[in-house]
PDB file of all heavy atoms in Angstrom:
ATOM      1  N   GLY H  89     -30.422-167.037  51.731  1.00 98.00           N
ATOM      2  CA  GLY H  89     -31.039-166.725  50.564  1.00 98.00           C
ATOM      3  C   GLY H  89     -31.920-165.498  50.555  1.00 98.00           C
ATOM      4  O   GLY H  89     -32.348-165.168  51.624  1.00 98.00           O
ATOM      5  N   ARG H  90     -31.885-164.980  49.383  1.00 98.00           N
ATOM      6  CA  ARG H  90     -32.694-163.622  49.309  1.00 98.00           C
ATOM      7  C   ARG H  90     -33.423-163.470  48.004  1.00 98.00           C
ATOM      8  O   ARG H  90     -32.783-163.771  46.938  1.00 98.00           O
ATOM      9  CB  ARG H  90     -31.581-162.654  49.521  1.00 98.00           C
ATOM     10  CG  ARG H  90     -32.159-161.176  49.714  1.00 98.00           C
ATOM     11  CD  ARG H  90     -30.925-160.253  49.703  1.00 98.00           C
ATOM     12  NE  ARG H  90     -31.282-158.850  50.216  1.00 98.00           N
ATOM     13  CZ  ARG H  90     -31.554-157.842  49.521  1.00 98.00           C
ATOM     14  NH1 ARG H  90     -31.549-157.912  48.092  1.00 98.00           N
ATOM     15  NH2 ARG H  90     -31.727-156.637  50.081  1.00 98.00           N
ATOM     16  N   GLY H  91     -34.624-163.064  48.088  1.00 97.00           N
ATOM     17  CA  GLY H  91     -35.400-162.722  46.889  1.00 97.00           C
ATOM     18  C   GLY H  91     -35.269-161.161  46.637  1.00 97.00           C
ATOM     19  O   GLY H  91     -34.338-160.593  46.563  1.00 97.00           O
ATOM     20  N   ALA H  92     -36.549-160.689  46.765  1.00 97.00           N
ATOM     21  CA  ALA H  92     -36.619-159.219  46.603  1.00 97.00           C
ATOM     22  C   ALA H  92     -36.405-158.452  48.050  1.00 97.00           C
ATOM     23  O   ALA H  92     -36.547-157.251  48.090  1.00 97.00           O
ATOM     24  CB  ALA H  92     -37.959-158.757  46.076  1.00 97.00           C
ATOM     25  N   ALA H  93     -36.169-159.280  49.059  1.00 97.00           N
ATOM     26  CA  ALA H  93     -36.021-158.682  50.388  1.00 97.00           C
ATOM     27  C   ALA H  93     -37.277-157.797  50.628  1.00 97.00           C
ATOM     28  O   ALA H  93     -37.132-156.688  51.247  1.00 97.00           O
ATOM     29  CB  ALA H  93     -34.735-157.880  50.575  1.00 97.00           C
ATOM     30  N   SER H  94     -38.501-158.247  50.414  1.00 95.00           N
ATOM     31  CA  SER H  94     -39.593-157.621  50.795  1.00 95.00           C
ATOM     32  C   SER H  94     -40.243-158.270  51.915  1.00 95.00           C
ATOM     33  O   SER H  94     -41.372-158.115  52.482  1.00 95.00           O
ATOM     34  CB  SER H  94     -40.730-157.537  49.651  1.00 95.00           C
ATOM     35  OG  SER H  94     -41.282-158.935  49.491  1.00 95.00           O
ATOM     36  N   GLY H  95     -39.547-159.213  52.557  1.00 93.00           N
ATOM     37  CA  GLY H  95     -40.020-159.986  53.673  1.00 93.00           C
ATOM     38  C   GLY H  95     -40.214-159.122  54.990  1.00 93.00           C
ATOM     39  O   GLY H  95     -39.518-158.185  55.147  1.00 93.00           O
ATOM     40  N   LEU H  96     -41.173-159.490  55.774  1.00 89.00           N
ATOM     41  CA  LEU H  96     -41.527-158.787  56.938  1.00 89.00           C
ATOM     42  C   LEU H  96     -41.241-159.437  58.245  1.00 89.00           C
ATOM     43  O   LEU H  96     -41.757-159.062  59.349  1.00 89.00           O
ATOM     44  CB  LEU H  96     -43.129-158.282  56.855  1.00 89.00           C
ATOM     45  CG  LEU H  96     -43.459-157.418  55.814  1.00 89.00           C
ATOM     46  CD1 LEU H  96     -44.958-157.285  55.681  1.00 89.00           C
ATOM     47  CD2 LEU H  96     -42.847-156.022  55.939  1.00 89.00           C
ATOM     48  N   GLY H  99     -36.364-162.269  57.683  1.00 94.00           N
ATOM     49  CA  GLY H  99     -35.844-163.511  57.091  1.00 94.00           C
ATOM     50  C   GLY H  99     -34.546-163.448  56.166  1.00 94.00           C
ATOM     51  O   GLY H  99     -33.668-164.257  56.252  1.00 94.00           O
ATOM     52  N   ALA H 100     -34.550-162.344  55.370  1.00 97.00           N
ATOM     53  CA  ALA H 100     -33.373-162.366  54.496  1.00 97.00           C
ATOM     54  C   ALA H 100     -32.302-161.460  55.043  1.00 97.00           C
ATOM     55  O   ALA H 100     -31.352-161.171  54.320  1.00 97.00           O
ATOM     56  CB  ALA H 100     -34.007-161.729  53.028  1.00 97.00           C
ATOM     57  N   PHE H 111     -31.417-164.130  44.414  1.00 97.00           N
ATOM     58  CA  PHE H 111     -31.854-164.760  43.270  1.00 97.00           C
ATOM     59  C   PHE H 111     -32.444-163.879  42.100  1.00 97.00           C
ATOM     60  O   PHE H 111     -33.126-164.428  41.255  1.00 97.00           O
ATOM     61  CB  PHE H 111     -33.013-165.878  43.693  1.00 97.00           C
ATOM     62  CG  PHE H 111     -32.421-166.927  44.319  1.00 97.00           C
ATOM     63  CD1 PHE H 111     -32.183-166.959  45.702  1.00 97.00           C
ATOM     64  CD2 PHE H 111     -31.930-168.015  43.611  1.00 97.00           C
ATOM     65  CE1 PHE H 111     -31.590-168.135  46.287  1.00 97.00           C
ATOM     66  CE2 PHE H 111     -31.398-169.207  44.205  1.00 97.00           C
ATOM     67  CZ  PHE H 111     -31.235-169.123  45.624  1.00 97.00           C
ATOM     68  N   ALA H 130     -36.260-169.167  40.698  1.00 98.00           N
ATOM     69  CA  ALA H 130     -36.601-168.617  42.017  1.00 98.00           C
ATOM     70  C   ALA H 130     -36.746-167.084  42.003  1.00 98.00           C
ATOM     71  O   ALA H 130     -37.652-166.550  42.691  1.00 98.00           O
ATOM     72  CB  ALA H 130     -35.510-168.853  42.943  1.00 98.00           C
ATOM     73  N   PRO H 152     -49.658-162.098  47.377  1.00 90.00           N
ATOM     74  CA  PRO H 152     -49.345-161.181  48.356  1.00 90.00           C
ATOM     75  C   PRO H 152     -49.408-159.628  47.874  1.00 90.00           C
ATOM     76  O   PRO H 152     -49.133-159.523  46.678  1.00 90.00           O
ATOM     77  CB  PRO H 152     -47.895-161.652  48.648  1.00 90.00           C
ATOM     78  CG  PRO H 152     -47.351-162.346  47.463  1.00 90.00           C
ATOM     79  CD  PRO H 152     -48.629-163.051  46.894  1.00 90.00           C
ATOM     80  N   ALA H 153     -49.631-158.747  48.868  1.00 85.00           N
ATOM     81  CA  ALA H 153     -49.648-157.501  48.441  1.00 85.00           C
ATOM     82  C   ALA H 153     -48.424-156.954  47.837  1.00 85.00           C
ATOM     83  O   ALA H 153     -48.434-156.008  47.024  1.00 85.00           O
ATOM     84  CB  ALA H 153     -49.997-156.626  49.817  1.00 85.00           C
ATOM     85  N   SER H 154     -47.346-157.731  48.072  1.00 91.00           N
ATOM     86  CA  SER H 154     -46.077-157.343  47.418  1.00 91.00           C
ATOM     87  C   SER H 154     -45.778-158.001  46.149  1.00 91.00           C
ATOM     88  O   SER H 154     -44.701-157.994  45.633  1.00 91.00           O
ATOM     89  CB  SER H 154     -45.009-157.747  48.480  1.00 91.00           C
ATOM     90  OG  SER H 154     -45.193-159.136  48.817  1.00 91.00           O
ATOM     91  N   SER H 158     -42.065-159.009  45.018  1.00 97.00           N
ATOM     92  CA  SER H 158     -41.478-160.277  45.624  1.00 97.00           C
ATOM     93  C   SER H 158     -41.267-161.375  44.644  1.00 97.00           C
ATOM     94  O   SER H 158     -41.830-161.288  43.519  1.00 97.00           O
ATOM     95  CB  SER H 158     -42.652-160.768  46.654  1.00 97.00           C
ATOM     96  OG  SER H 158     -43.812-161.245  46.023  1.00 97.00           O
ATOM     97  N   THR H 159     -40.408-162.332  45.022  1.00 98.00           N
ATOM     98  CA  THR H 159     -40.047-163.296  44.096  1.00 98.00           C
ATOM     99  C   THR H 159     -40.820-164.618  44.437  1.00 98.00           C
ATOM    100  O   THR H 159     -41.213-164.856  45.566  1.00 98.00           O
ATOM    101  CB  THR H 159     -38.487-163.558  44.021  1.00 98.00           C
ATOM    102  OG1 THR H 159     -38.199-164.099  45.331  1.00 98.00           O
ATOM    103  CG2 THR H 159     -37.770-162.272  43.725  1.00 98.00           C
ATOM    104  N   GLY H 161     -39.250-167.490  44.756  1.00 98.00           N
ATOM    105  CA  GLY H 161     -38.342-168.028  45.819  1.00 98.00           C
ATOM    106  C   GLY H 161     -38.717-167.572  47.092  1.00 98.00           C
ATOM    107  O   GLY H 161     -38.885-168.227  48.065  1.00 98.00           O
ATOM    108  N   GLY H 162     -38.964-166.206  47.299  1.00 97.00           N
ATOM    109  CA  GLY H 162     -39.356-165.702  48.547  1.00 97.00           C
ATOM    110  C   GLY H 162     -40.641-166.018  48.929  1.00 97.00           C
ATOM    111  O   GLY H 162     -41.058-166.342  50.174  1.00 97.00           O
ATOM    112  N   ASN H 163     -41.613-166.039  48.106  1.00 97.00           N
ATOM    113  CA  ASN H 163     -43.031-166.612  48.308  1.00 97.00           C
ATOM    114  C   ASN H 163     -43.010-167.914  48.802  1.00 97.00           C
ATOM    115  O   ASN H 163     -43.705-168.304  49.776  1.00 97.00           O
ATOM    116  CB  ASN H 163     -43.865-166.615  47.066  1.00 97.00           C
ATOM    117  CG  ASN H 163     -44.190-165.130  46.555  1.00 97.00           C
ATOM    118  OD1 ASN H 163     -44.794-165.037  45.510  1.00 97.00           O
ATOM    119  ND2 ASN H 163     -43.796-164.230  47.299  1.00 97.00           N
ATOM    120  N   GLU H 166     -41.634-168.083  52.428  1.00 95.00           N
ATOM    121  CA  GLU H 166     -42.577-167.608  53.407  1.00 95.00           C
ATOM    122  C   GLU H 166     -43.986-168.273  53.313  1.00 95.00           C
ATOM    123  O   GLU H 166     -44.874-168.005  54.028  1.00 95.00           O
ATOM    124  CB  GLU H 166     -42.743-166.136  53.267  1.00 95.00           C
ATOM    125  CG  GLU H 166     -41.450-165.344  53.435  1.00 95.00           C
ATOM    126  CD  GLU H 166     -40.890-165.265  54.769  1.00 95.00           C
ATOM    127  OE1 GLU H 166     -41.447-165.989  55.682  1.00 95.00           O
ATOM    128  OE2 GLU H 166     -40.004-164.510  55.146  1.00 95.00           O
ATOM    129  N   ALA H 168     -46.103-167.565  51.125  1.00 93.00           N
ATOM    130  CA  ALA H 168     -46.894-166.207  51.095  1.00 93.00           C
ATOM    131  C   ALA H 168     -48.381-166.476  50.693  1.00 93.00           C
ATOM    132  O   ALA H 168     -48.713-167.398  49.818  1.00 93.00           O
ATOM    133  CB  ALA H 168     -46.316-165.389  50.068  1.00 93.00           C
ATOM    134  N   GLY H 169     -49.205-165.757  51.211  1.00 88.00           N
ATOM    135  CA  GLY H 169     -50.668-165.634  50.889  1.00 88.00           C
ATOM    136  C   GLY H 169     -51.035-164.230  50.531  1.00 88.00           C
ATOM    137  O   GLY H 169     -50.231-163.355  50.476  1.00 88.00           O
ATOM    138  N   GLU H 213     -38.346-170.713  55.074  1.00 96.00           N
ATOM    139  CA  GLU H 213     -37.513-169.469  55.183  1.00 96.00           C
ATOM    140  C   GLU H 213     -36.042-169.615  54.903  1.00 96.00           C
ATOM    141  O   GLU H 213     -35.179-169.062  55.573  1.00 96.00           O
ATOM    142  CB  GLU H 213     -37.797-168.729  56.404  1.00 96.00           C
ATOM    143  CG  GLU H 213     -39.229-168.420  56.779  1.00 96.00           C
ATOM    144  CD  GLU H 213     -39.490-167.930  58.105  1.00 96.00           C
ATOM    145  OE1 GLU H 213     -38.677-167.020  58.467  1.00 96.00           O
ATOM    146  OE2 GLU H 213     -40.577-168.087  58.687  1.00 96.00           O
ATOM    147  N   GLY H 214     -35.713-170.489  53.979  1.00 96.00           N
ATOM    148  CA  GLY H 214     -34.306-170.582  53.659  1.00 96.00           C
ATOM    149  C   GLY H 214     -33.508-171.381  54.662  1.00 96.00           C
ATOM    150  O   GLY H 214     -32.290-171.364  54.617  1.00 96.00           O
ATOM    151  N   GLY H 217     -33.096-175.355  52.713  1.00 97.00           N
ATOM    152  CA  GLY H 217     -32.440-175.641  51.341  1.00 97.00           C
ATOM    153  C   GLY H 217     -32.671-174.300  50.650  1.00 97.00           C
ATOM    154  O   GLY H 217     -33.593-173.460  51.015  1.00 97.00           O
ATOM    155  N   LEU H 218     -31.985-174.240  49.494  1.00 98.00           N
ATOM    156  CA  LEU H 218     -32.209-173.049  48.583  1.00 98.00           C
ATOM    157  C   LEU H 218     -32.926-173.351  47.476  1.00 98.00           C
ATOM    158  O   LEU H 218     -32.541-174.335  46.613  1.00 98.00           O
ATOM    159  CB  LEU H 218     -30.821-172.507  48.235  1.00 98.00           C
ATOM    160  CG  LEU H 218     -30.037-171.902  49.447  1.00 98.00           C
ATOM    161  CD1 LEU H 218     -28.551-171.809  49.098  1.00 98.00           C
ATOM    162  CD2 LEU H 218     -30.652-170.503  49.800  1.00 98.00           C
ATOM    163  N   ILE H 219     -34.196-172.882  47.271  1.00 98.00           N
ATOM    164  CA  ILE H 219     -34.945-173.242  46.087  1.00 98.00           C
ATOM    165  C   ILE H 219     -34.543-172.462  44.915  1.00 98.00           C
ATOM    166  O   ILE H 219     -34.366-171.332  44.930  1.00 98.00           O
ATOM    167  CB  ILE H 219     -36.499-172.847  46.459  1.00 98.00           C
ATOM    168  CG1 ILE H 219     -36.961-173.683  47.610  1.00 98.00           C
ATOM    169  CG2 ILE H 219     -37.445-173.020  45.307  1.00 98.00           C
ATOM    170  CD1 ILE H 219     -38.278-173.184  48.375  1.00 98.00           C
ATOM    171  N   SER H 340     -49.840-151.305  53.727  1.00 75.00           N
ATOM    172  CA  SER H 340     -48.694-151.656  54.529  1.00 75.00           C
ATOM    173  C   SER H 340     -47.663-150.429  54.360  1.00 75.00           C
ATOM    174  O   SER H 340     -47.230-149.855  55.331  1.00 75.00           O
ATOM    175  CB  SER H 340     -48.192-152.817  54.041  1.00 75.00           C
ATOM    176  OG  SER H 340     -47.449-153.545  55.077  1.00 75.00           O
ATOM    177  N   PRO H 341     -47.180-150.142  53.155  1.00 72.00           N
ATOM    178  CA  PRO H 341     -46.135-149.082  53.034  1.00 72.00           C
ATOM    179  C   PRO H 341     -46.820-147.644  53.317  1.00 72.00           C
ATOM    180  O   PRO H 341     -46.012-146.810  53.748  1.00 72.00           O
ATOM    181  CB  PRO H 341     -45.770-149.185  51.486  1.00 72.00           C
ATOM    182  CG  PRO H 341     -46.518-150.390  50.905  1.00 72.00           C
ATOM    183  CD  PRO H 341     -47.490-150.838  51.893  1.00 72.00           C
ATOM    184  N   GLU H 428     -48.437-165.696  57.254  1.00 76.00           N
ATOM    185  CA  GLU H 428     -47.857-165.700  55.993  1.00 76.00           C
ATOM    186  C   GLU H 428     -46.498-164.985  56.047  1.00 76.00           C
ATOM    187  O   GLU H 428     -45.582-165.235  55.152  1.00 76.00           O
ATOM    188  CB  GLU H 428     -48.806-165.030  55.147  1.00 76.00           C
ATOM    189  CG  GLU H 428     -49.112-163.611  55.543  1.00 76.00           C
ATOM    190  CD  GLU H 428     -50.101-162.930  54.645  1.00 76.00           C
ATOM    191  OE1 GLU H 428     -50.794-163.500  53.834  1.00 76.00           O
ATOM    192  OE2 GLU H 428     -50.159-161.587  54.635  1.00 76.00           O
ATOM    193  N   HIS H 429     -46.261-164.177  57.029  1.00 78.00           N
ATOM    194  CA  HIS H 429     -44.991-163.334  56.867  1.00 78.00           C
ATOM    195  C   HIS H 429     -43.778-164.272  57.372  1.00 78.00           C
ATOM    196  O   HIS H 429     -42.616-163.675  57.383  1.00 78.00           O
ATOM    197  CB  HIS H 429     -45.053-162.059  57.659  1.00 78.00           C
ATOM    198  CG  HIS H 429     -46.011-161.184  57.103  1.00 78.00           C
ATOM    199  ND1 HIS H 429     -46.443-160.023  57.626  1.00 78.00           N
ATOM    200  CD2 HIS H 429     -46.611-161.164  55.784  1.00 78.00           C
ATOM    201  CE1 HIS H 429     -47.316-159.372  56.857  1.00 78.00           C
ATOM    202  NE2 HIS H 429     -47.401-160.037  55.697  1.00 78.00           N
ATOM    203  N   ASN H 465     -29.295-169.979  56.895  1.00 97.00           N
ATOM    204  CA  ASN H 465     -29.939-168.889  57.518  1.00 97.00           C
ATOM    205  C   ASN H 465     -30.090-169.070  58.985  1.00 97.00           C
ATOM    206  O   ASN H 465     -31.149-169.126  59.625  1.00 97.00           O
ATOM    207  CB  ASN H 465     -31.394-168.909  56.907  1.00 97.00           C
ATOM    208  CG  ASN H 465     -31.841-167.433  56.979  1.00 97.00           C
ATOM    209  OD1 ASN H 465     -31.185-166.499  57.399  1.00 97.00           O
ATOM    210  ND2 ASN H 465     -33.010-167.180  56.300  1.00 97.00           N
TER     211      ASN H 465
ATOM    212  N   PHE X  29     -41.073-151.716  47.263  1.00 92.00           N
ATOM    213  CA  PHE X  29     -42.148-151.557  46.327  1.00 92.00           C
ATOM    214  C   PHE X  29     -41.662-150.721  45.030  1.00 92.00           C
ATOM    215  O   PHE X  29     -42.106-150.912  44.038  1.00 92.00           O
ATOM    216  CB  PHE X  29     -43.276-150.747  46.856  1.00 92.00           C
ATOM    217  CG  PHE X  29     -44.385-151.611  47.497  1.00 92.00           C
ATOM    218  CD1 PHE X  29     -44.067-152.826  48.154  1.00 92.00           C
ATOM    219  CD2 PHE X  29     -45.742-151.356  47.199  1.00 92.00           C
ATOM    220  CE1 PHE X  29     -45.007-153.574  48.584  1.00 92.00           C
ATOM    221  CE2 PHE X  29     -46.762-152.302  47.737  1.00 92.00           C
ATOM    222  CZ  PHE X  29     -46.353-153.366  48.509  1.00 92.00           C
TER     223      PHE X  29
HETATM  224  C1  LIG U   1     -45.844-153.901  51.865  1.00 54.95           C
HETATM  225  C2  LIG U   1     -45.678-155.256  51.994  1.00 54.95           C
HETATM  226  C3  LIG U   1     -46.852-155.990  51.924  1.00 54.95           C
HETATM  227  C4  LIG U   1     -46.783-157.463  52.030  1.00 54.95           C
HETATM  228  N1  LIG U   1     -47.878-158.116  51.940  1.00 54.95           N
HETATM  229  C5  LIG U   1     -47.837-159.505  51.972  1.00 54.95           C
HETATM  230  C6  LIG U   1     -48.937-160.439  51.843  1.00 54.95           C
HETATM  231  O1  LIG U   1     -50.054-159.878  51.664  1.00 54.95           O
HETATM  232  N2  LIG U   1     -48.865-161.650  52.089  1.00 54.95           N
HETATM  233  C7  LIG U   1     -47.670-162.220  52.341  1.00 54.95           C
HETATM  234  O2  LIG U   1     -47.581-163.443  52.450  1.00 54.95           O
HETATM  235  N3  LIG U   1     -46.575-161.550  52.492  1.00 54.95           N
HETATM  236  C8  LIG U   1     -46.613-160.175  52.307  1.00 54.95           C
HETATM  237  N4  LIG U   1     -45.460-159.399  52.477  1.00 54.95           N
HETATM  238  C9  LIG U   1     -44.229-160.013  52.919  1.00 54.95           C
HETATM  239  C10 LIG U   1     -43.285-160.490  51.717  1.00 54.95           C
HETATM  240  O3  LIG U   1     -43.460-159.770  50.748  1.00 54.95           O
HETATM  241  C11 LIG U   1     -43.525-161.935  51.432  1.00 54.95           C
HETATM  242  O4  LIG U   1     -43.032-162.638  52.512  1.00 54.95           O
HETATM  243  C12 LIG U   1     -42.815-162.457  50.162  1.00 54.95           C
HETATM  244  O5  LIG U   1     -43.067-163.676  50.059  1.00 54.95           O
HETATM  245  C13 LIG U   1     -41.228-162.257  50.243  1.00 54.95           C
HETATM  246  O6  LIG U   1     -40.646-162.522  48.953  1.00 54.95           O
HETATM  247  P1  LIG U   1     -39.179-161.972  48.694  1.00 54.95           P
HETATM  248  O7  LIG U   1     -38.889-162.357  47.338  1.00 54.95           O
HETATM  249  O8  LIG U   1     -39.129-160.491  48.974  1.00 54.95           O
HETATM  250  O9  LIG U   1     -38.312-162.688  49.815  1.00 54.95           O
HETATM  251  P2  LIG U   1     -37.323-162.283  50.763  1.00 54.95           P
HETATM  252  O10 LIG U   1     -37.803-161.275  51.678  1.00 54.95           O
HETATM  253  O11 LIG U   1     -36.063-161.927  50.011  1.00 54.95           O
HETATM  254  O12 LIG U   1     -36.940-163.564  51.539  1.00 54.95           O
HETATM  255  C14 LIG U   1     -38.018-164.208  52.370  1.00 54.95           C
HETATM  256  C15 LIG U   1     -37.572-165.426  52.988  1.00 54.95           C
HETATM  257  O13 LIG U   1     -37.458-166.452  52.139  1.00 54.95           O
HETATM  258  C16 LIG U   1     -36.029-166.788  52.005  1.00 54.95           C
HETATM  259  N5  LIG U   1     -35.729-167.114  50.508  1.00 54.95           N
HETATM  260  C17 LIG U   1     -35.822-166.140  49.606  1.00 54.95           C
HETATM  261  N6  LIG U   1     -35.487-166.725  48.415  1.00 54.95           N
HETATM  262  C18 LIG U   1     -35.251-168.071  48.653  1.00 54.95           C
HETATM  263  C19 LIG U   1     -35.020-169.144  47.794  1.00 54.95           C
HETATM  264  N7  LIG U   1     -34.805-169.090  46.508  1.00 54.95           N
HETATM  265  N8  LIG U   1     -34.842-170.447  48.367  1.00 54.95           N
HETATM  266  C20 LIG U   1     -34.962-170.460  49.717  1.00 54.95           C
HETATM  267  N9  LIG U   1     -35.290-169.515  50.584  1.00 54.95           N
HETATM  268  C21 LIG U   1     -35.407-168.277  50.028  1.00 54.95           C
HETATM  269  C22 LIG U   1     -35.203-165.837  52.632  1.00 54.95           C
HETATM  270  O14 LIG U   1     -34.079-166.289  53.265  1.00 54.95           O
HETATM  271  C23 LIG U   1     -36.184-165.301  53.645  1.00 54.95           C
HETATM  272  O15 LIG U   1     -36.117-166.023  54.789  1.00 54.95           O
HETATM  273  C24 LIG U   1     -45.541-158.004  52.341  1.00 54.95           C
HETATM  274  C25 LIG U   1     -44.372-157.224  52.384  1.00 54.95           C
HETATM  275  C26 LIG U   1     -44.363-155.872  52.192  1.00 54.95           C
HETATM  276  C27 LIG U   1     -43.169-155.013  52.250  1.00 54.95           C
END
Side-chain angles (χ1 to χ4, degrees):
Chain H
R90 190 184 197 261
S94 71
L96 290 173
F111 288 91
S154 51
S158 67
T159 64
N163 288 175
E166 304 286 7
E213 305 182 29
L218 294 160
I219 296 165
S340 208
E428 54 182 22
H429 293 169
N465 213 356
Chain X
F29 268 41

